[in-house]
Amino acid sequence: MKPSSPRPERHIDTLPNALAELDRLTARLAGQHLAIFLDYDGTLTPICADPAQAMLGEAMRARIAALASRACLAVISGRDTADVQAKVGLPELYYAGSHGLEIRGPDGFHEERAQDYLPALATARQRLMQALTGVDGVLVEPKRYAIAVHYRAAPEARERVHRCVEQIAAAEPRLRTSHGKKIIEIRPALDWHKGRAVEYLRGELPLPDGHIALYIGDDLTDEDAFAALGPADLGLIVADGEDNDRTSFADYRLPDVAGVGQMLEAIERTAAPAP
Ligand SMILES: [Mg+2]
């Protein structure tokens, strides 16, 4: 479902390039307390046909670690929390996996909110595996709170995959589908998404009033998070051309993962100490 927001919604191609306005943006963030929310796939690492291969580069890890010593940092992903936590490997961060359904952080922080949906997911998982296992180039990835079907390696199978996934999800009232780049997922039919996760974390993290939230993401599910930002916050969409022909609630665009690195480095140079 399309999020609603008081923020302006603009075509991605018309958003200003954040790298062209780096000085102005970092000046706006300088001396402020920051909450930084980062998506993983397509934002911190290039998207891979096999999601297991999307590893975080050492330079990006070092940048995130440096920034985490000066700002509150959370990674918000559709991956399982344990998966994204292991891939990033920095214990000082918060990790909101499964689009925020399970959140872990330092000092044993743990919040999980969809255990009731596990039996319905197990049923759907079994049916999807039966229906799609063996279809060339289609990857069924069971996750804790979702079943993802990837068809990046078989774009011609899109219609068949969508029809099959929609059918199986429709049979189970506790589940719904969500779409992304060459991926369709079955998820709990809960009013919970990356935007809710951002709002929840802003209430839980040790952040002072007046802090600025910065969210960087690349896909449709990140729009819920952009939509949840306030007027003083900053939303940056990584738009590499694959999915540019749509609107976004972000304020700026970044060209690619390397651009995200440049942005984070610039913020690290000017950010306030961690609250
Ligand atoms: Mg992404």
Side-chain angles (χ1 to χ4, degrees), residues 104-175:
R104 289 184 181 272
D107 305 319
F109 184 95
H110 186 207
E111 174 74 34
E112 200 167 353
R113 63 184 67 238
Q115 285 101 326
D116 293 355
Y117 292 76
L118 292 173
L121 281 165
T123 307
R125 177 179 307 153
Q126 204 182 5
R127 295 192 60 198
L128 262 183
M129 290 295 221
Q130 273 166 4
L132 291 175
T133 299
V135 179
D136 245 10
V138 175
L139 177 70
V140 180
E141 182 195 12
K143 303 196 272 189
R144 179 153 174 79
Y145 284 118
I147 311 123
V149 183
H150 304 264
Y151 51 92
R152 181 163 292 268
E156 71 287 353
R158 181 186 186 281
E159 226 172 280
R160 175 178 173 189
V161 166
H162 275 244
R163 207 172 39 237
C164 170
V165 173
E166 294 290 356
Q167 231 170 40
I168 289 172
E172 184 44 74
R174 305 204 80 184
L175 303 179

Side-chain angles (χ1 to χ4, degrees), residues 40-42 44-57 79 83 87-88:
Y40 184 79
D41 294 272
L44 299 180
T45 65
I47 293 177
C48 292
D50 177 1
Q53 300 304 316
M55 297 302 179
L56 188 66
R79 287 177 182 268
D83 178 18
K87 282 196 157 51
V88 176

Side-chain angles (χ1 to χ4, degrees), residues 39-43 47 76 181 194 217-219 221-222:
D39 168 51
Y40 184 79
D41 294 272
T43 298
I47 293 177
I76 304 199
K181 291 177 180 174
K194 287 181 167 185
D218 71 306
D219 210 341
T221 58
D222 298 300

